[in-house]
Amino acid sequence: MSALAPFKALVHQRCGLHLEGLAEARLFRAVASLQASTGLTGTTQLLGQLRRDPALFDQFVSQLTVNETYFCREPDALNWLVSTYLPERLAAEQPPLSIFSAGCSSGEEPYSVAMMLFERFGERAKALFTLTGGDLDHQVLTKARQAVYGGMAFRALSPDFKARYFSPYQGRYKLHESLRQWVTFRPFNLLNADESSAGGPFDVILFRNVSIYFDQQTRRRIHQQLGQLLAPNGILLCGVTETLGNDLGVFELVEAQGVFYFRHAEQPAAVPAAPLQPFLPTLDNKADESIGDGEGANKKLALASSADLAPEAPLEPAAENERLDSITQQLHTAHQLLDQNAFNDAAAMLEALLKQQPWLIDALVLAGLVARWQQQPHQAYDYFKRAIYVAPECWPAHFYLAELYRQGELTDEPLQRKQRYAAVVRLLTTVPTSSGGLDTIAPPLPPGDARFLAERYLKAANTTLASTSTTQGVG
């Protein structure tokens, strides 16, 4: 047995943290620090001290997570929340609506929501919404309450927001006092998420970019706990690459305007939305059981998690091979129909296939291309966006989303266009021959050509943004 195993077991029991792989290095350093601070060296003595001293345990746990966060992370979901979902809820219900950031780290997420709400609703936002952040780590909660941040925290925040809501403070930047006091922070253990500890029920729970620390069984338990905190018609938002890995059967997964969220099963949606059927993992028999830091690991996790939702009797090997052959044949046929400009036939075949396999990357990309040729850019956008949710490494989906903006099929958004082309360059620089997550069909254009074009269009997008910024600064 590893010398670290008893510490792993204690932390997992109390906090649910899954300390395997790269996390073992952090655990090793934390144990060494514990030995230095207590003067104890024996495992039994150290464990006993951790069990008896809550403050020491909190200090120990604070060394085990990577509090990597920043303002306005994954802005698409936050924009939808503030601009669409919450106004719809306010039209139907009396305020205030309550928002909870679970695993808030040093506070960038709830403060981002505060700034965006203030932009939309002005001073009355404080009467319309309550904002709470919770985290297990007492040290990062202290930082959150201080609301003083350095440069890397602002990597995705617009200069206008930074100038409006922060003031220079001792070589760093401090959030304006009115917003700092609006957000409440409190200790919060995801494994003991009862209403009294967090102050729910909440209309919105943000559980974003947190679940990488938990194995699948623990994540299901956390969902059950968060379900007790979620209002009957509330929603749970996870991080973009974590959404499918959190589709564990506790909540219903729903999509609205390209954003995926969870809600209690059989609850009416506050905004137009379509429940999504669980994906049956027929194309990846090596699905991992845990979330990794890489994009590919997130895809594998999504498949593994969805497998738990389908307790059907496994097919015999021959029947399973026959089904895989059928899917492969349908994809090739749909691809041929697309090449022959038989768009209606291709669309019908892909629609039927996606009813059986809603998260099939190849089918989503083909369906997006078909919709684009049928001059249905919004439908194409939805298909490409879903492909990215399943496989963030799907560079064809990133490329064609950018093309929808560049060619005027959607109202141009230079920043979105830049981000999509930049993703293509980044992905194909890392793996120049990447298939983009496509298992059956070849990428619609060669990876080398896609990278060349993306680099060229990225320069144009940068020029557009620079010109816009200069124009706005005049007068």
Side-chain angles (χ1 to χ4, degrees), residues 240-445:
V240 169
T241 59
E242 298 176 307
T243 297
L244 296 179
N246 279 282
D247 190 8
L248 302 170
V250 178
F251 296 103
E252 180 182 28
L253 179 60
V254 176
E255 182 270 343
Q257 300 178 16
V259 174
F260 292 78
Y261 63 88
F262 294 96
R263 68 185 184 191
H264 290 295
E266 300 180 358
Q267 290 296 326
V271 294
L276 300 173
Q277 298 300 316
F279 171 56
L280 304 182
T282 57
L283 297 185
D284 188 346
N285 296 323
K286 299 179 181 179
D288 197 352
E289 287 295 319
S290 62
I291 288 185
D293 292 330
E295 292 170 335
N298 281 294
K299 178 184 176 184
K300 291 181 179 178
L301 172 66
L303 301 177
S305 301
S306 299
D308 291 342
L309 303 183
E312 299 176 358
L315 295 175
E316 293 295 328
E320 177 67 10
N321 290 335
E322 183 177 344
R323 181 166 67 164
L324 288 174
D325 289 343
S326 174
I327 292 172
T328 299
Q329 182 59 48
Q330 290 178 70
L331 286 170
H332 283 306
T333 301
H335 198 186
Q336 291 173 358
L337 291 170
L338 172 62
D339 289 340
Q340 296 166 4
N341 296 337
F343 301 127
N344 291 335
D345 292 340
M349 176 168 286
L350 291 167
E351 181 180 1
L353 186 55
L354 285 169
K355 285 182 179 179
Q356 305 171 43
Q357 305 284 343
W359 301 112
L360 192 56
I361 304 297
D362 302 64
L364 288 170
V365 170
L366 285 176
L369 293 172
V370 170
R372 189 179 177 211
W373 280 107
Q374 291 180 312
Q375 299 183 347
Q376 298 172 344
H378 292 285
Q379 187 171 350
Y381 174 93
D382 289 342
Y383 282 127
F384 293 139
K385 197 70 179 289
R386 285 173 62 185
I388 292 170
Y389 265 85
V390 182
E393 74 275 20
C394 186
W395 60 261
H398 286 288
F399 182 86
Y400 287 112
L401 274 178
E403 289 289 274
L404 290 173
Y405 293 121
R406 186 183 68 85
Q407 300 203 21
E409 296 165 66
L410 293 176
T411 302
D412 191 23
E413 296 183 23
L415 182 59
Q416 283 285 339
R417 178 159 43 101
K418 173 185 174 181
Q419 290 173 342
R420 299 304 176 188
Y421 283 134
V424 175
V425 173
R426 173 177 56 82
L427 291 167
L428 291 179
T429 298
T430 304
V431 185
T433 59
S434 168
S435 70
L438 299 173
D439 293 316
T440 301
I441 65 169
L445 72 167

Side-chain angles (χ1 to χ4, degrees), residues 181-218:
Q181 293 184 356
W182 184 15
V183 182
T184 301
F185 293 96
R186 61 183 66 200
F188 180 72
N189 188 333
L190 286 161
L191 289 185
N192 293 287
D194 58 85
E195 291 187 75
S196 61
S197 67
F202 295 99
D203 298 289
V204 176
I205 295 179
L206 303 173
F207 180 54
R208 306 196 314 156
N209 305 297
V210 178
S211 60
I212 59 171
Y213 297 112
F214 306 105
D215 58 28
Q216 183 172 301
Q217 182 179 357
T218 304

